[in-house]
């Protein structure tokens, strides 16, 4: 299978005066169409790694190659477009736009891409909201939704543009075990049907076990790297 | 572009209280500008109207005292030929005399004009409230104040005389009221030929009054006209030179009005800039999310420019309504004892549009700083810290 992302000799150091190194010389690559989970203790550097993978953060040294393209060579505008088309984010702290409804939030990646929304895209957004069980509240402003509902809306939003890569940081952190189970089933289904590559940080070992691969981060280094 | 615009609108709508507050701030600034601007313009206009409203802005007289201008018709035509700037050139011949009716006598200015051909400067025609214009050499018009003093009415016969000189009887064809006491109480209007005969001027006139298109250029026009006519025996006097003190007063007033407007503008800009700077902080989370989703730096800064634009437009519209409302109220309630407006404020659409336009521009300029901040915001700052 083809490689879709590669991290080369990634080091991340925070701070100028008091320097804290969070990632140590990470070399890691993921294959296209796989479902990967990242586990590790709190503060081990999982989110930092994922944000660097998603071009949101820059490593102190090292390179990120996405489909063979070195992201540090891209201009800010190119990166913005690249992010919009290639990566779907599900953040640890969900992050819907509070001024917009659930449906509008889900449509936002499409609007950013094309400037407008077609009926077909609107139908797809509604379908996605239905799949995550939010068709009843899709016209609620996101501030008027529960934490778990917001998280599910964020998942629908990440899927909207059919990005080849989805990066998720504890996407079910606010959900009960039943919902968690159904959300992972959904993500897995998307992964199988569309060949989308998933890289998911999770604390839930039952979930991690179902992934194609488990990468453990330990104190900023790769601990375990298991392929099922 | 459209995306930035619709996000901007949504941001403004979601913070309604804040939006209304800024718009109101702009509106008050604009309304003060409009009110003060129009009030001072109206004040100056009415002062100038009172000063030069019924008198020529340039007066041509003979250089030598006591001489008349011969061949006035041809000269008036030549002055008209100077260009579009000349609205009217009207020959007049006048002199001092005394008017007697029953047993009373009063000093007067006996003024002859070609009323049928041109009456654009004194506009005596519109002031007649009894009778009609004189249409024969033995007919005259008498002003309201003098008529009341002497208990005259149209149809009466009066005597006009120069001490130890001419003495002649005239019929009062009508009475006029020009709302200017000094004219109403002493000017007797007759035909040009009547006064020429009475004062023995022959075919000469004492002056040619000129009305120009732009009164504030009268001094320059007078100089140019003088060299255009090129007659060394004539003197060209303009109203500006004669009213220097009034004009320097008006000038000072204009400057202080501009100062007030500039300070209002500065405070509006500072107000908008500071509030928008706060909004960009409030919305930094949203900007971060949008950037993570792939919005470009350009669009993220446009969001704030659009907010500035819409706030400016909203404020300008409200401000124009408020400002015009203030002017209407002022005109309605600030009145003279006789019921006429204290100061006639005329609605100057150009000035209103300018004030509104400046406010919109100021709002956009004020939103440049937040727009820049938004453009520079790094999404990771927001994503990392929750
Ligand atoms: N801006 C920063 N400046 C300094 N240190 C930071 C900064 N951001 C993160 N860190 C540190 O980097 C380390 C890794 O943080 P990170 O968020 O990647 O952990 P994590 O594995 O995602 O933890 P969790 O499971 O709790 O989300 C932590 O020790 C954290 O304190
Ligand atoms: Mg984390």
């Amino acid at each position: 299978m083809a490689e879709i992302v590669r991290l080369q000799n990634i080091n991340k150091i925070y701070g100028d005066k008091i320097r804290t190194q969070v990632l140590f010389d990470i070399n890691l690559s993921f294959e296209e169409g796989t479902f990967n989970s990242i586990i590790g203790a709190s503060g081990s550097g999982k989110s930092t790694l994922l944000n660097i993978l998603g071009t949101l953060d820059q490593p102190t040294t090292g390179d990120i190659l996405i489909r063979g393209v070195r992201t540090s060579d891209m201009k800010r505008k190119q990166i913005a477009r690249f992010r919009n088309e290639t990566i779907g984010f599900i953040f640890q702290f969900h992050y819907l736009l509070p001024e917009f409804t659930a449906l509008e939030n889900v449509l936002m990646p499409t609007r950013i891409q094309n400037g407008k929304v077609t009926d077909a895209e609107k139908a797809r957004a509604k379908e996605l909201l239905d799949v995550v069980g939010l068709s009843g509240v899709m016209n609620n402003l996101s501030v008027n939704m529960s934490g778990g509902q917001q998280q599910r809306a964020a998942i629908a939003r990440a899927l909207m543009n059919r990005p080849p890569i989805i990066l998720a940081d504890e996407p079910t952190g606010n959900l009960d075990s039943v919902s968690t189970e159904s959300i992972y089933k959904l993500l897995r289904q998307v992964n199988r049907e569309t060949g989308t590559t998933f890289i998911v940080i999770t604390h839930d070992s039952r979930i991690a076990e179902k992934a194609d691969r488990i990468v453990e981060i330990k104190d900023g280094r790769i601990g375990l790297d298991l392929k099922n | 572009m459209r995306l930035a615009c619709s996000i901007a609108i949504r941001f403004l709508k979601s913070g309604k209280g804040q939006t209304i507050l800024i718009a109101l701030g702009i509106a008050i600034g604009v309304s003060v500008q409009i009110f003060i601007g129009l009030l001072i313009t109206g004040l100056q206009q009415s002062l100038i109207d009172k000063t030069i409203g019924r008198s020529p802005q340039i007066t041509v007289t003979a250089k030598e005292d006591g001489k008349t201008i011969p061949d006035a018709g041809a000269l008036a035509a030549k002055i008209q030929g100077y260009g579009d700037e000349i609205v009217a050139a009207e020959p007049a011949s006048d002199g001092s005399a005394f008017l007697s009716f029953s047993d009373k006598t009063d000093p007067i200015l006996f003024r002859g004009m070609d009323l049928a051909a041109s009456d654009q400067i004194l506009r005596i025609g519109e002031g007649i409230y009894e009778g009609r214009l004189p249409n024969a050499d033995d007919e005259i018009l008498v002003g309201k104040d003098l008529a009341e003093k002497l208990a005259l009415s149209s149809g009466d016969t009066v005597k006009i005389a120069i001490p130890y000189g001419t003495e002649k009887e005239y019929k009062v064809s009508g009475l006029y009221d020009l709302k200017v006491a000094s004219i109403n109480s002493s000017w007797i209007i007759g035909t040009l030929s009547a006064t020429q005969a009475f004062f023995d001027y022959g075919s000469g006139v004492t002056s040619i009054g000129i009305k120009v298109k732009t009164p504030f250029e009268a001094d320059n026009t007078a100089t140019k006209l003088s060299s255009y006519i090129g007659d060394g025996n004539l003197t060209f006097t303009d109203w500006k030179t004669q009213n220097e003190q009034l004009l320097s007063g008006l000038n000072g007033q204009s400057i202080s009005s501009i100062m007030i407007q500039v300070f209002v503008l500065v405070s509006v800009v500072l107000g908008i800039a500071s509030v928008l700077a706060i909004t960009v902080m409030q919305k930094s989370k949203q900007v971060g999310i949008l950037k993570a989703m792939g919005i470009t730096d350009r669009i993220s800064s446009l969001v704030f420019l659009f907010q500035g634009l819409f706030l400016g437009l909203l404020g300008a519209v409200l401000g124009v309504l408020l400002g015009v409302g203030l002017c209407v109220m002022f005109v309605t309630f600030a009145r003279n004892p006789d019921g006429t407006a204290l100061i006639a404020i005329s609605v100057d659409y150009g000035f209103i549009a300018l004030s509104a336009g400046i406010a919109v521009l100021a709002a956009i300029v004020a939103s440049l700083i937040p727009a820049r901040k938004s453009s520079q915001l790094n999404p990771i700052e927001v994503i990392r810290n929750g």
Side-chain angles (χ1 to χ4, degrees):
Chain A
M1 239 183 271
E3 175 185 287
I4 189 160
V5 284
R6 167 180 286 275
L7 298 176
Q8 276 178 338
N9 309 320
I10 296 290
N11 285 285
K12 180 68 181 177
I13 301 169
Y14 282 119
D16 282 330
K17 293 205 176 73
I18 309 157
R19 295 159 65 88
T20 36
Q21 184 153 7
V22 178
L23 295 177
F24 297 84
D25 211 29
I26 301 262
N27 282 288
L28 194 61
S29 66
F30 295 96
E31 282 172 359
E32 194 160 0
T34 54
F35 197 101
N36 308 277
S37 66
I38 295 177
I39 58 168
S42 179
S44 57
K46 306 181 297 294
S47 294
T48 305
L49 182 75
L50 201 75
N51 289 333
I52 287 175
L53 253 173
T55 72
L56 290 174
D57 205 353
Q58 286 75 45
T60 310
T61 60
D63 288 318
I64 306 108
L65 287 97
I66 300 184
R67 288 176 158 165
V69 181
R70 197 187 306 269
T71 56
S72 58
D73 292 343
M74 288 194 242
K75 297 207 178 70
R76 280 171 78 94
K77 197 174 167 181
Q78 283 176 299
I79 292 221
R81 179 140 197 100
F82 178 83
R83 243 183 241 151
N84 176 256
E85 288 170 354
T86 317
I87 304 169
F89 288 101
I90 305 168
F91 298 115
Q92 189 167 8
F93 310 97
H94 33 89
Y95 293 121
L96 294 183
L97 297 166
E99 293 84 359
F100 292 83
T101 65
L103 180 62
E104 288 166 336
N105 265 287
V106 173
L107 283 168
M108 193 54 80
T110 313
R111 288 181 69 186
I112 292 173
Q113 190 171 39
N114 304 322
K116 58 183 189 326
V117 171
T118 64
D119 285 346
E121 284 157 347
K122 206 163 181 175
R124 173 175 160 78
K126 285 182 181 167
E127 195 185 299
L128 284 169
L129 281 166
D130 193 36
V131 170
V132 294
L134 290 179
S135 42
V137 292
M138 68 182 184
N139 291 318
N140 282 24
L141 282 184
S142 56
V143 279
N144 298 330
M145 297 184 349
S146 74
Q149 286 175 327
Q150 291 187 42
Q151 201 149 35
R152 284 182 279 159
I155 291 167
R157 184 178 66 187
L159 297 172
M160 184 63 207
N161 268 10
R162 298 186 170 88
I165 306 168
I166 286 186
L167 303 179
D169 197 344
E170 293 181 44
T172 54
N174 280 311
L175 303 181
D176 58 88
S177 58
V178 178
S179 308
T180 300
E181 188 69 36
S182 73
I183 289 293
Y184 271 102
K185 269 199 189 123
L186 168 69
L187 297 184
R188 246 327 200 170
Q189 187 189 342
V190 172
N191 162 252
R192 259 196 302 274
E193 286 173 1
T194 64
T196 306
T197 309
F198 279 80
I199 302 172
V200 181
I201 296 176
T202 180
H203 276 135
D204 194 326
S205 56
R206 287 172 305 157
I207 302 300
E209 278 160 16
K210 289 182 194 141
D212 298 326
R213 180 178 171 194
I214 305 170
V215 178
E216 189 202 20
I217 305 293
K218 201 170 180 184
D219 299 329
R221 294 183 171 83
I222 294 171
L224 281 170
D225 190 348
L226 296 171
K227 284 181 192 171
N228 288 337
Chain B
M1 198 81 170
R2 252 183 32 204
L3 180 65
C5 180
S6 75
I7 294 173
I9 290 173
R10 192 58 71 92
F11 279 2
L12 288 175
K13 271 192 189 161
S14 76
K16 273 203 193 75
Q18 208 171 42
T19 303
I20 290 170
L21 224 59
I22 311 180
L24 222 58
I26 301 172
I28 289 171
V30 171
S31 67
V32 167
Q33 274 198 328
I34 289 178
F35 181 59
I36 290 184
L38 289 185
L39 186 70
I40 287 187
T41 314
L43 193 73
Q44 300 194 340
Q45 198 56 53
S46 77
L47 263 174
I48 289 169
D49 271 355
K50 274 185 190 139
T51 316
I52 59 163
R54 294 191 187 272
S55 52
Q57 287 128 22
I58 300 173
T59 309
V60 187
T61 50
K63 194 159 250 166
E64 219 171 304
D65 249 3
K67 282 249 177 156
T68 56
I69 304 169
D71 210 0
L75 182 58
K78 201 172 168 196
I79 290 170
Q80 285 278 13
Y82 170 78
D84 277 352
E85 184 57 28
I86 310 294
V87 176
E90 298 176 353
S93 65
D94 55 20
S96 304
F98 287 91
L99 179 143
S100 332
F101 180 66
S102 45
D103 55 351
K104 280 181 240 156
T105 299
D106 258 88
I108 55 149
L109 181 92
F110 190 15
R111 187 174 177 85
M113 297 187 301
D114 193 354
L115 295 165
S118 177
D119 178 25
Q120 294 186 55
I121 296 174
L122 193 59
R123 301 194 305 283
I124 192 86
E126 61 192 48
I128 293 177
Y129 65 96
E130 193 187 309
R132 51 161 179 80
L133 281 173
N135 51 18
D137 284 358
D138 63 347
E139 290 183 338
I140 54 162
L141 285 174
V142 177
K144 188 179 179 205
D145 295 31
L146 186 64
E148 277 171 3
K149 190 173 164 196
L150 299 179
L152 264 175
S153 54
S154 58
D156 288 342
T157 303
V158 298
K159 204 165 72 185
I160 296 179
I162 310 175
Y164 315 111
T166 328
E167 187 178 309
K168 216 168 165 236
E169 287 198 336
Y170 293 90
K171 192 172 146 247
V172 178
S173 72
L175 304 180
Y176 69 82
D177 179 10
L178 293 182
K179 313 267 181 214
V180 182
S182 60
I183 295 179
N184 278 355
S185 64
S186 66
W187 284 31
I188 302 297
I189 311 294
T191 62
L192 197 58
S193 43
T195 52
Q196 280 171 335
F198 183 84
F199 291 110
D200 227 353
Y201 291 151
S203 63
V205 300
T206 50
S207 69
I208 294 179
I210 299 169
K211 184 184 170 113
V212 294
K213 208 168 177 176
T214 37
F216 279 92
E217 283 294 313
D219 47 349
N220 293 330
T221 310
T223 315
K224 284 187 215 151
L225 192 61
S226 171
S227 58
Y228 171 77
I229 301 294
D231 185 340
N233 294 321
L234 300 175
T235 307
F236 291 73
T237 322
D238 65 278
W239 76 276
K240 285 180 79 176
T241 317
Q242 284 176 316
N243 294 283
E244 243 164 313
Q245 243 171 340
L246 169 77
L247 284 171
S248 76
L250 292 183
N251 206 12
Q253 210 176 34
S254 294
I255 291 171
S256 59
S257 153
I258 289 171
M259 293 273 277
I260 293 173
Q261 301 195 27
V262 167
F263 282 118
V264 168
L265 188 73
V266 168
S267 73
V268 166
V269 171
L270 289 179
I272 307 168
S274 62
V275 180
L276 280 178
I278 295 167
T279 22
V280 81
M281 307 277 268
Q282 289 171 332
K283 301 293 182 197
S284 63
K285 189 177 129 177
Q286 285 84 327
V287 174
I289 302 163
L290 286 164
K291 283 195 172 182
M293 281 196 276
I295 215 170
T296 57
D297 293 344
R298 196 180 77 94
I299 289 185
S300 75
S301 63
L302 274 178
V303 168
F304 289 86
L305 284 181
F306 272 119
Q307 289 194 63
L309 172 70
F310 292 139
L311 286 169
L313 285 175
L314 189 65
V317 169
L318 285 176
V320 167
L321 292 178
L322 210 66
V324 172
L326 272 174
C327 290
V328 169
M329 250 164 62
F330 185 84
V331 171
T332 316
F333 295 115
R335 290 198 166 274
N336 288 318
D338 67 355
T340 55
L342 197 59
I343 295 164
I345 296 181
S346 64
V347 179
D348 179 349
Y349 293 103
F351 176 74
I352 292 175
L354 185 73
S355 289
I358 288 176
V360 174
L361 210 69
I364 294 175
V365 168
S367 65
L368 281 176
I369 299 165
R372 222 174 94 87
K373 269 198 176 144
S374 161
S375 160
Q376 288 168 341
L377 187 126
N378 189 347
I380 191 65
E381 308 298 337
V382 183
I383 306 302
R384 192 189 289 141
N385 300 320

